[in-house]
Amino acid sequence: MNYNAESTVVRSQQSAVQTNKLLRNTYSLLAMTLLFSAMTAGVSMALNLPHPGIIITLVGYFGLLFLTTKLRNSAWGIVSVFALTGFMGLTLGPIVNAYLGLPNGPQIVMQALGGTGIIFIALSAYAVKSEKDFSFMGGFLFVGILVAFLASLAAFFFEMPGLSLAVSAMFVLLMAGLILFETSQIVNGGETNYIMATITLYVSIYNLFVSLLQLIGAFSGDD
């Protein structure tokens, strides 16, 4: 009985060490990719580059995401992560420039940035501290994101501003749920690859920021 109890304690300690290592690696890589993405966005803004368009954005994003998934267990996966987040930064620059050109643009951008930071930190801290299992949200999030994505395409191609705002609101809620879900997966052993965890959290932050930009811009009367 004592041997079994000691073995259980050892396994629990090893699991805690692995979880802490995964969290450190994930947040370290996430911080670096966010910084790199901000740099590429800054370059895009400084050069006043045009937005590449929805087709190139989707092809680039899904192509690099597929590549990162294939390389997630190798050192090349790190390179692929930076390629993906750097590319997304380039697509973000023209969007931020467009909002900065509005009369109340700088305030809109700062409010969206601050809101994104507060939501991410609060939800991540809650998931880590509480250690609650949010895996039950997986199916709902998958379906919700798919529906929101298709609705966003419809809003873009059919030029429906009302639907676009509704999609942005959906994405704010879905990305908040995805942050809870992915952090919970890391803490409870559902996700063991820090590269994939980083990508999921990065995409959540990116979409959350863009969605808040649109919502704040619309309700401030400047969008």
Side-chain angles (χ1 to χ4, degrees):
M1 292 294 292
N2 289 337
Y3 175 77
N4 290 335
E6 291 174 358
S7 298
T8 301
V9 171
V10 170
R11 286 195 298 269
S12 178
Q13 291 175 339
Q14 290 175 339
S15 177
V17 169
Q18 291 173 350
T19 297
N20 290 334
K21 181 180 179 181
L22 180 59
L23 281 170
R24 285 196 304 271
N25 288 342
T26 299
Y27 286 121
S28 295
L29 182 58
L30 179 62
M32 289 187 288
T33 55
L34 287 172
L35 179 60
F36 182 65
S37 188
M39 290 173 58
T40 59
V43 170
S44 179
M45 293 169 64
L47 298 177
N48 201 25
L49 297 179
H51 193 275
I54 189 169
I55 302 300
I56 294 177
T57 298
L58 291 178
V59 171
Y61 168 71
F62 284 110
L64 289 169
L65 179 61
F66 175 78
L67 181 63
T68 303
T69 302
K70 296 293 288 185
L71 299 174
R72 65 185 181 277
N73 293 316
S74 70
W76 285 105
I78 302 293
V79 177
S80 184
V81 167
F82 278 98
L84 172 58
T85 55
F87 172 75
M88 295 309 292
L90 288 175
T91 68
L92 183 61
I95 298 174
V96 175
N97 259 350
Y99 279 93
L100 288 176
L102 298 174
N104 204 30
Q107 286 184 325
I108 294 173
V109 173
M110 291 307 298
Q111 286 173 1
L113 187 62
T116 301
I118 291 171
I119 291 172
F120 175 74
I121 292 173
L123 293 178
S124 296
Y126 175 74
V128 171
K129 293 296 183 181
S130 69
E131 297 184 355
K132 288 186 177 180
D133 186 0
F134 290 98
S135 60
F136 66 90
M137 298 173 62
F140 168 79
L141 289 171
F142 175 79
V143 174
I145 291 171
L146 179 60
V147 170
F149 173 70
L150 294 176
S152 68
L153 292 180
F156 175 80
F157 286 111
F158 295 105
E159 299 182 355
M160 303 168 66
L163 178 58
S164 181
L165 284 178
V167 169
S168 294
M170 287 176 62
F171 264 114
V172 169
L173 295 176
L174 289 167
M175 292 306 104
L178 188 57
I179 291 169
L180 278 176
F181 171 80
E182 187 62 23
T183 308
S184 169
Q185 289 289 92
I186 297 171
V187 172
N188 294 291
E191 177 62 80
T192 58
N193 188 289
Y194 72 95
I195 289 178
M196 296 311 298
T198 297
I199 288 296
T200 302
L201 293 176
Y202 173 87
V203 170
S204 300
I205 292 170
Y206 180 97
N207 285 322
L208 184 59
F209 174 64
V210 172
S211 297
L212 286 175
L213 263 181
Q214 185 169 8
L215 289 172
I216 295 172
F219 287 109
S220 68
D222 289 328
D223 196 8

